[in-house]
Amino acid sequence: MNAYARAAQNYSSMKVQSSAMDASPHRLIQMLFEGALERIAQAKGAMQQNQVARKGELIGKAINIVAGLQGSLSDKEGGQLSENLDDLYDYIIRALTEANYKNSLERLDECGRLLGELKSAWDGIADQAR
């Protein structure tokens, strides 16, 4: 199973399966960003409400989505950009793990901000293609 398929499978379990299956590769990446951001926001709420198990579950789902994004990168096609994104996704995964371990709202906010910036850039690509 390729990275796109694994990412779609992870996301589909959290959202409506049919929309992920019908999505273009570009839209699928947008959906993955949306899913990760949603899980981070939910984890933040769970953290604030001291729902430890729920927080861990949601952060784990966000990590899986980011890992799916990371796995979809292509060194052959992406070159230096792909390497930079790989490093950034790795950083986000480590920061999410730390946020879970240390109950750090600040680290969750940082991850949300970074993913939000990436999503905005990805959305801009779609806007330019129209």
Side-chain angles (χ1 to χ4, degrees):
M1 184 182 314
N2 70 31
Y4 279 115
R6 281 193 305 276
Q9 186 178 28
N10 284 337
Y11 187 80
S12 293
S13 68
M14 294 175 270
K15 282 285 194 190
V16 179
Q17 185 174 6
S18 63
S19 63
M21 294 302 195
D22 295 336
S24 69
H26 188 87
R27 178 64 187 132
L28 179 57
I29 298 297
Q30 287 177 310
M31 293 168 66
L32 291 169
F33 280 125
E34 291 165 5
L37 289 167
E38 187 176 328
R39 296 305 165 268
I40 290 169
Q42 291 170 337
K44 186 175 176 180
M47 190 181 289
Q48 291 169 327
Q49 295 173 9
N50 203 28
Q51 297 173 341
V52 177
R54 179 85 174 129
K55 171 205 68 169
E57 175 186 333
L58 291 163
I59 290 175
K61 287 180 179 183
I63 288 170
N64 287 338
I65 293 170
V66 174
L69 288 164
Q70 186 176 33
S72 72
L73 297 172
S74 171
D75 291 341
K76 293 177 187 174
E77 296 173 17
Q80 186 64 45
L81 176 60
S82 184
E83 286 182 38
N84 291 343
L85 285 171
D86 185 64
D87 290 344
L88 183 56
Y89 290 143
D90 185 61
Y91 175 81
I92 292 169
I93 289 169
R94 287 184 285 116
L96 286 168
T97 302
E98 182 180 323
N100 189 29
Y101 178 72
K102 293 185 176 180
N103 277 328
S104 174
L105 291 171
E106 294 81 16
R107 293 296 272 174
L108 285 181
D109 287 339
E110 177 187 19
C111 293
R113 182 184 53 78
L114 291 169
L115 286 169
E117 290 175 11
L118 288 171
K119 182 186 178 310
S120 292
W122 194 254
D123 292 346
I125 294 169
D127 292 342
Q128 289 179 355
R130 290 182 203 170

